[in-house]
Amino acid sequence: MQNKASRTAQQVALFRALETARGHDRVFDDPLAVRFLGGGYRLLARAAKVRPVGLRLSRFIDTRWPGPRPSAVARTRLIDDLVLESLGGGARQVLLLGAGYDSRAYRLPGIERVAVFEADHPATQAVKRRLIRGAVRPERRRHVHFVPVDLLVEDLGEALQRNGFAALEPTVVVWEGVTNYLTEPAVDQTLRRLADLTATGSRLILTYVDRRVLDGVIDAGPWPEAVKRQGEPWTFGFEPARLGGYLAERGLRLELDMSTRDAADRYLEPLGRHEQAATFYRVAAAEIQ
């Protein structure tokens, strides 16, 4: 990625801020999301607190770019639930890999009882650290350790251990919104390092884009071209049918593989929210063997 804060990370933060502004029918509450926004995005998020304005804004986004906003909302809640399940099952540390503007370290109940490591590109992380210092009291962030690392050129294990990560401890790893911006060797090396670094029974939660979008077999609408124009093109994807075998070769057992549309059916539909998340955005969970 370029040596600047991620634009797509800002957009995901906007989607989370809009969801938080909904009030009674939101599927998660992320009060920090708006703090990660600048300029026009922050104004939009604040205006969205007036419910009719927020609903119209969400509909406008979904009309212009069908799929990404409800996909981000559905996957956020699904990953929240998977992380809490892992913490309840005995995970002793959390690794947010490519953390972006993820605020789980500060908002998930009970997460402050374990060490949380936020590993991210140095440019994006520098912006986030400054914003967190202004938004979160020191006592609410003592459990969080920041790990600046560029996965395209640096070794993940060395960077983590320099910053206090405990090797071979039960861990839950969240790798959200990252793999589709990497190269195949970077994804392969990262998976192998995670399998070596964490204890048997640890969990990896990752998102990915269906490879057939990159191959032109599936039409993903205007969003891939939009992120390409922003300088963050999609460069990698998995074929869902092959994911289990790929992970098994690298020491992981696939537990769950769900499209964000299926996640929207789980979380949004029961609230009467008929919002069409994308099938080509997917969330997978795997156990370290």
Side-chain angles (χ1 to χ4, degrees):
M1 296 181 67
Q2 299 177 7
N3 190 28
K4 61 181 181 180
S6 167
R7 180 72 180 274
T8 53
Q10 278 250 327
Q11 289 160 347
V12 172
L14 173 62
F15 299 156
R16 289 174 174 159
L18 294 178
E19 180 65 18
T20 298
R22 291 186 68 103
H24 72 276
D25 62 348
R26 64 190 177 200
V27 298
F28 59 81
D29 181 17
D30 186 352
L32 287 176
V34 69
R35 303 294 293 267
F36 300 136
L37 302 176
Y41 282 173
R42 180 172 288 195
L43 291 175
L44 290 174
R46 287 177 171 169
K49 293 180 180 179
V50 179
R51 184 173 174 86
V53 174
L55 295 179
R56 283 198 296 270
L57 180 56
S58 293
R59 285 195 294 267
F60 172 79
I61 293 171
D62 295 349
T63 298
R64 187 165 183 181
W65 299 286
R69 185 198 59 80
S71 293
V73 168
R75 86 183 190 198
T76 295
R77 174 58 189 275
L78 174 59
I79 294 170
D80 285 358
D81 286 355
L82 291 171
V83 171
L84 290 172
E85 181 180 273
S86 295
L87 292 175
R92 297 176 189 167
Q93 58 188 3
V94 177
L95 170 58
L96 302 176
L97 184 55
Y101 297 133
D102 183 339
S103 68
R104 291 185 177 93
Y106 314 98
R107 65 177 178 81
L108 290 185
I111 199 169
E112 72 281 356
R113 293 193 290 270
V114 302
V116 178
F117 296 85
E118 293 205 18
D120 207 350
H121 189 280
T124 297
Q125 189 168 94
V127 176
K128 183 177 185 178
R129 293 186 71 169
R130 174 175 57 81
L131 295 171
I132 286 294
R133 283 195 296 269
V136 181
R137 295 191 304 273
E139 64 270 19
R140 291 185 54 225
R141 46 185 164 91
R142 288 182 183 137
H143 62 294
V144 181
H145 309 267
F146 287 98
V147 183
V149 60
D150 184 346
L151 293 177
L152 293 177
V153 296
E154 298 178 74
D155 182 81
L156 174 64
E158 291 179 3
L160 286 171
Q161 291 179 310
R162 279 198 307 269
N163 289 276
F165 185 85
L168 302 181
E169 282 288 306
T171 305
V172 54
V173 181
V174 177
W175 203 12
E176 181 183 11
V178 180
T179 61
N180 43 303
Y181 299 107
L182 299 179
T183 63
E184 193 282 330
V187 172
D188 171 61
Q189 183 179 11
T190 300
L191 289 171
R192 294 181 187 277
R193 290 296 279 142
L194 289 172
D196 290 340
L197 282 167
T198 59
T200 298
S202 295
R203 172 181 270 177
L204 167 65
I205 306 162
L206 74 151
T207 66
Y208 70 96
V209 166
D210 193 316
R211 175 73 206 184
R212 293 169 293 181
V213 172
L214 279 67
D215 294 339
V217 177
I218 295 177
D219 181 8
W223 191 246
E225 185 59 32
V227 297
K228 182 178 180 181
R229 289 196 302 270
Q230 294 168 12
E232 300 178 32
W234 293 349
T235 52
F236 180 81
F238 292 110
E239 285 191 34
R242 299 182 180 181
L243 179 61
Y246 182 95
L247 293 176
E249 292 173 358
R250 289 152 181 83
L252 300 98
R253 180 181 63 83
L254 183 64
E255 298 176 304
L256 173 148
D257 184 16
M258 180 183 291
S259 75
T260 54
R261 179 174 293 180
D262 290 336
D265 289 344
R266 174 182 293 188
Y267 295 112
L268 303 183
E269 287 290 335
L271 297 172
R273 295 174 53 179
H274 310 298
E275 300 163 34
Q276 291 301 310
T279 59
F280 59 83
Y281 281 125
R282 302 186 69 87
V283 179
E287 182 183 80
I288 307 295
Q289 298 296 284

PDB file of all heavy atoms in Angstrom, residues 24 29 45-46 59 66 78 84 128 130 136 151 153 184 191 223 257 261:
ATOM      1  N   HIS A  24     -32.092   2.517  17.485  1.00  0.00           N
ATOM      2  CA  HIS A  24     -32.726   1.313  18.017  1.00  0.00           C
ATOM      3  C   HIS A  24     -32.543   0.080  17.141  1.00  0.00           C
ATOM      4  O   HIS A  24     -32.562  -1.047  17.652  1.00  0.00           O
ATOM      5  CB  HIS A  24     -34.220   1.563  18.244  1.00  0.00           C
ATOM      6  CG  HIS A  24     -35.019   1.660  16.979  1.00  0.00           C
ATOM      7  ND1 HIS A  24     -35.121   2.845  16.263  1.00  0.00           N
ATOM      8  CD2 HIS A  24     -35.739   0.729  16.296  1.00  0.00           C
ATOM      9  CE1 HIS A  24     -35.886   2.633  15.204  1.00  0.00           C
ATOM     10  NE2 HIS A  24     -36.270   1.379  15.194  1.00  0.00           N
ATOM     11  N   ASP A  29     -22.680  -0.953  18.182  1.00  0.00           N
ATOM     12  CA  ASP A  29     -22.487   0.429  18.615  1.00  0.00           C
ATOM     13  C   ASP A  29     -20.987   0.714  18.604  1.00  0.00           C
ATOM     14  O   ASP A  29     -20.239   0.130  19.387  1.00  0.00           O
ATOM     15  CB  ASP A  29     -23.067   0.625  20.018  1.00  0.00           C
ATOM     16  CG  ASP A  29     -22.923   2.063  20.514  1.00  0.00           C
ATOM     17  OD1 ASP A  29     -22.679   2.949  19.676  1.00  0.00           O
ATOM     18  OD2 ASP A  29     -23.064   2.283  21.724  1.00  0.00           O
ATOM     19  N   ALA A  45     -21.351  11.925   9.036  1.00  0.00           N
ATOM     20  CA  ALA A  45     -21.664  11.040  10.160  1.00  0.00           C
ATOM     21  C   ALA A  45     -22.429  11.774  11.249  1.00  0.00           C
ATOM     22  O   ALA A  45     -23.343  11.215  11.872  1.00  0.00           O
ATOM     23  CB  ALA A  45     -20.375  10.432  10.716  1.00  0.00           C
ATOM     24  N   ARG A  46     -22.072  13.028  11.497  1.00  0.00           N
ATOM     25  CA  ARG A  46     -22.793  13.798  12.517  1.00  0.00           C
ATOM     26  C   ARG A  46     -24.202  14.134  12.063  1.00  0.00           C
ATOM     27  O   ARG A  46     -25.157  14.082  12.842  1.00  0.00           O
ATOM     28  CB  ARG A  46     -21.999  15.051  12.852  1.00  0.00           C
ATOM     29  CG  ARG A  46     -20.749  14.752  13.680  1.00  0.00           C
ATOM     30  CD  ARG A  46     -19.925  15.988  13.947  1.00  0.00           C
ATOM     31  NE  ARG A  46     -18.848  15.710  14.911  1.00  0.00           N
ATOM     32  CZ  ARG A  46     -17.856  16.528  15.179  1.00  0.00           C
ATOM     33  NH1 ARG A  46     -17.786  17.712  14.560  1.00  0.00           N
ATOM     34  NH2 ARG A  46     -16.925  16.200  16.058  1.00  0.00           N
ATOM     35  N   ARG A  59     -29.109   5.115   1.925  1.00  0.00           N
ATOM     36  CA  ARG A  59     -29.736   4.716   0.660  1.00  0.00           C
ATOM     37  C   ARG A  59     -28.970   5.289  -0.530  1.00  0.00           C
ATOM     38  O   ARG A  59     -28.817   4.610  -1.555  1.00  0.00           O
ATOM     39  CB  ARG A  59     -31.202   5.157   0.632  1.00  0.00           C
ATOM     40  CG  ARG A  59     -32.112   4.304   1.494  1.00  0.00           C
ATOM     41  CD  ARG A  59     -33.581   4.534   1.159  1.00  0.00           C
ATOM     42  NE  ARG A  59     -33.995   5.893   1.505  1.00  0.00           N
ATOM     43  CZ  ARG A  59     -34.532   6.230   2.664  1.00  0.00           C
ATOM     44  NH1 ARG A  59     -34.697   5.318   3.616  1.00  0.00           N
ATOM     45  NH2 ARG A  59     -34.899   7.479   2.910  1.00  0.00           N
ATOM     46  N   PRO A  66     -23.631  -0.317  -4.806  1.00  0.00           N
ATOM     47  CA  PRO A  66     -24.412  -1.392  -4.178  1.00  0.00           C
ATOM     48  C   PRO A  66     -23.516  -2.423  -3.484  1.00  0.00           C
ATOM     49  O   PRO A  66     -22.567  -2.928  -4.084  1.00  0.00           O
ATOM     50  CB  PRO A  66     -25.152  -2.026  -5.368  1.00  0.00           C
ATOM     51  CG  PRO A  66     -25.121  -0.994  -6.448  1.00  0.00           C
ATOM     52  CD  PRO A  66     -23.835  -0.249  -6.263  1.00  0.00           C
ATOM     53  N   LEU A  78     -20.623  -9.849  12.654  1.00  0.00           N
ATOM     54  CA  LEU A  78     -20.240 -11.259  12.648  1.00  0.00           C
ATOM     55  C   LEU A  78     -18.874 -11.435  13.304  1.00  0.00           C
ATOM     56  O   LEU A  78     -18.682 -12.330  14.142  1.00  0.00           O
ATOM     57  CB  LEU A  78     -20.220 -11.788  11.212  1.00  0.00           C
ATOM     58  CG  LEU A  78     -19.700 -13.215  11.017  1.00  0.00           C
ATOM     59  CD1 LEU A  78     -20.525 -14.220  11.818  1.00  0.00           C
ATOM     60  CD2 LEU A  78     -19.694 -13.582   9.528  1.00  0.00           C
ATOM     61  N   LEU A  84     -15.801 -12.457  20.497  1.00  0.00           N
ATOM     62  CA  LEU A  84     -16.325 -12.686  21.841  1.00  0.00           C
ATOM     63  C   LEU A  84     -16.433 -14.178  22.146  1.00  0.00           C
ATOM     64  O   LEU A  84     -16.152 -14.605  23.281  1.00  0.00           O
ATOM     65  CB  LEU A  84     -17.691 -12.014  21.983  1.00  0.00           C
ATOM     66  CG  LEU A  84     -17.660 -10.477  22.014  1.00  0.00           C
ATOM     67  CD1 LEU A  84     -19.074  -9.912  21.951  1.00  0.00           C
ATOM     68  CD2 LEU A  84     -16.939  -9.973  23.265  1.00  0.00           C
ATOM     69  N   LYS A 128      -4.123   6.728  13.387  1.00  0.00           N
ATOM     70  CA  LYS A 128      -5.028   6.154  14.382  1.00  0.00           C
ATOM     71  C   LYS A 128      -4.533   6.421  15.809  1.00  0.00           C
ATOM     72  O   LYS A 128      -5.329   6.765  16.690  1.00  0.00           O
ATOM     73  CB  LYS A 128      -5.188   4.650  14.158  1.00  0.00           C
ATOM     74  CG  LYS A 128      -6.177   4.017  15.127  1.00  0.00           C
ATOM     75  CD  LYS A 128      -6.381   2.558  14.850  1.00  0.00           C
ATOM     76  CE  LYS A 128      -7.460   1.972  15.750  1.00  0.00           C
ATOM     77  NZ  LYS A 128      -7.705   0.551  15.475  1.00  0.00           N
ATOM     78  N   ARG A 130      -2.794   8.827  16.982  1.00  0.00           N
ATOM     79  CA  ARG A 130      -3.052  10.217  17.362  1.00  0.00           C
ATOM     80  C   ARG A 130      -4.514  10.414  17.733  1.00  0.00           C
ATOM     81  O   ARG A 130      -4.839  11.069  18.743  1.00  0.00           O
ATOM     82  CB  ARG A 130      -2.665  11.142  16.209  1.00  0.00           C
ATOM     83  CG  ARG A 130      -3.032  12.604  16.443  1.00  0.00           C
ATOM     84  CD  ARG A 130      -2.511  13.485  15.325  1.00  0.00           C
ATOM     85  NE  ARG A 130      -2.984  13.066  14.014  1.00  0.00           N
ATOM     86  CZ  ARG A 130      -4.178  13.367  13.519  1.00  0.00           C
ATOM     87  NH1 ARG A 130      -5.041  14.073  14.240  1.00  0.00           N
ATOM     88  NH2 ARG A 130      -4.527  12.978  12.310  1.00  0.00           N
ATOM     89  N   VAL A 136      -9.715   8.282  23.800  1.00  0.00           N
ATOM     90  CA  VAL A 136      -9.822   7.193  24.779  1.00  0.00           C
ATOM     91  C   VAL A 136      -8.923   7.505  25.968  1.00  0.00           C
ATOM     92  O   VAL A 136      -7.730   7.791  25.802  1.00  0.00           O
ATOM     93  CB  VAL A 136      -9.419   5.842  24.146  1.00  0.00           C
ATOM     94  CG1 VAL A 136      -9.559   4.718  25.177  1.00  0.00           C
ATOM     95  CG2 VAL A 136     -10.263   5.545  22.917  1.00  0.00           C
ATOM     96  N   LEU A 151       3.308  -5.584   5.738  1.00  0.00           N
ATOM     97  CA  LEU A 151       3.363  -7.007   5.433  1.00  0.00           C
ATOM     98  C   LEU A 151       3.985  -7.306   4.076  1.00  0.00           C
ATOM     99  O   LEU A 151       4.374  -8.443   3.809  1.00  0.00           O
ATOM    100  CB  LEU A 151       1.956  -7.609   5.496  1.00  0.00           C
ATOM    101  CG  LEU A 151       1.299  -7.648   6.881  1.00  0.00           C
ATOM    102  CD1 LEU A 151      -0.108  -8.207   6.785  1.00  0.00           C
ATOM    103  CD2 LEU A 151       2.135  -8.460   7.854  1.00  0.00           C
ATOM    104  N   VAL A 153       6.783  -6.085   3.038  1.00  0.00           N
ATOM    105  CA  VAL A 153       8.251  -6.043   3.086  1.00  0.00           C
ATOM    106  C   VAL A 153       8.839  -6.483   4.427  1.00  0.00           C
ATOM    107  O   VAL A 153      10.049  -6.703   4.514  1.00  0.00           O
ATOM    108  CB  VAL A 153       8.769  -4.623   2.750  1.00  0.00           C
ATOM    109  CG1 VAL A 153       8.407  -4.237   1.338  1.00  0.00           C
ATOM    110  CG2 VAL A 153       8.235  -3.587   3.732  1.00  0.00           C
ATOM    111  N   GLU A 184      -0.181 -12.631  -3.405  1.00  0.00           N
ATOM    112  CA  GLU A 184      -0.314 -14.031  -3.004  1.00  0.00           C
ATOM    113  C   GLU A 184       0.833 -14.461  -2.084  1.00  0.00           C
ATOM    114  O   GLU A 184       0.582 -15.107  -1.050  1.00  0.00           O
ATOM    115  CB  GLU A 184      -0.392 -14.933  -4.232  1.00  0.00           C
ATOM    116  CG  GLU A 184      -0.845 -16.364  -3.924  1.00  0.00           C
ATOM    117  CD  GLU A 184       0.243 -17.236  -3.329  1.00  0.00           C
ATOM    118  OE1 GLU A 184       1.434 -16.994  -3.645  1.00  0.00           O
ATOM    119  OE2 GLU A 184      -0.082 -18.145  -2.519  1.00  0.00           O
ATOM    120  N   LEU A 191      -0.078 -16.314   6.638  1.00  0.00           N
ATOM    121  CA  LEU A 191      -0.804 -17.450   7.192  1.00  0.00           C
ATOM    122  C   LEU A 191       0.145 -18.450   7.851  1.00  0.00           C
ATOM    123  O   LEU A 191      -0.140 -18.977   8.940  1.00  0.00           O
ATOM    124  CB  LEU A 191      -1.608 -18.131   6.093  1.00  0.00           C
ATOM    125  CG  LEU A 191      -2.820 -17.362   5.561  1.00  0.00           C
ATOM    126  CD1 LEU A 191      -3.393 -18.043   4.333  1.00  0.00           C
ATOM    127  CD2 LEU A 191      -3.891 -17.225   6.643  1.00  0.00           C
ATOM    128  N   TRP A 223     -17.767  -0.739  -7.350  1.00  0.00           N
ATOM    129  CA  TRP A 223     -16.882  -0.542  -6.204  1.00  0.00           C
ATOM    130  C   TRP A 223     -15.425  -0.898  -6.480  1.00  0.00           C
ATOM    131  O   TRP A 223     -14.521  -0.128  -6.102  1.00  0.00           O
ATOM    132  CB  TRP A 223     -17.403  -1.321  -4.999  1.00  0.00           C
ATOM    133  CG  TRP A 223     -16.706  -0.969  -3.716  1.00  0.00           C
ATOM    134  CD1 TRP A 223     -15.904  -1.771  -2.972  1.00  0.00           C
ATOM    135  CD2 TRP A 223     -16.743   0.284  -3.018  1.00  0.00           C
ATOM    136  NE1 TRP A 223     -15.442  -1.119  -1.860  1.00  0.00           N
ATOM    137  CE2 TRP A 223     -15.951   0.142  -1.868  1.00  0.00           C
ATOM    138  CE3 TRP A 223     -17.372   1.506  -3.269  1.00  0.00           C
ATOM    139  CZ2 TRP A 223     -15.753   1.180  -0.963  1.00  0.00           C
ATOM    140  CZ3 TRP A 223     -17.188   2.540  -2.365  1.00  0.00           C
ATOM    141  CH2 TRP A 223     -16.382   2.371  -1.230  1.00  0.00           C
ATOM    142  N   ASP A 257     -17.243 -20.250   6.613  1.00  0.00           N
ATOM    143  CA  ASP A 257     -17.005 -19.418   5.441  1.00  0.00           C
ATOM    144  C   ASP A 257     -18.366 -18.890   5.004  1.00  0.00           C
ATOM    145  O   ASP A 257     -19.213 -19.649   4.533  1.00  0.00           O
ATOM    146  CB  ASP A 257     -16.350 -20.234   4.323  1.00  0.00           C
ATOM    147  CG  ASP A 257     -16.000 -19.384   3.105  1.00  0.00           C
ATOM    148  OD1 ASP A 257     -15.972 -18.151   3.236  1.00  0.00           O
ATOM    149  OD2 ASP A 257     -15.757 -19.972   2.036  1.00  0.00           O
ATOM    150  N   ARG A 261     -23.574 -11.320   2.457  1.00  0.00           N
ATOM    151  CA  ARG A 261     -25.023 -11.362   2.254  1.00  0.00           C
ATOM    152  C   ARG A 261     -25.673 -12.326   3.246  1.00  0.00           C
ATOM    153  O   ARG A 261     -26.732 -12.043   3.809  1.00  0.00           O
ATOM    154  CB  ARG A 261     -25.361 -11.775   0.823  1.00  0.00           C
ATOM    155  CG  ARG A 261     -26.873 -11.844   0.574  1.00  0.00           C
ATOM    156  CD  ARG A 261     -27.211 -12.098  -0.876  1.00  0.00           C
ATOM    157  NE  ARG A 261     -26.838 -10.959  -1.712  1.00  0.00           N
ATOM    158  CZ  ARG A 261     -27.020 -10.930  -3.030  1.00  0.00           C
ATOM    159  NH1 ARG A 261     -27.527 -11.976  -3.663  1.00  0.00           N
ATOM    160  NH2 ARG A 261     -26.673  -9.861  -3.717  1.00  0.00           N
TER     161      ARG A 261
END
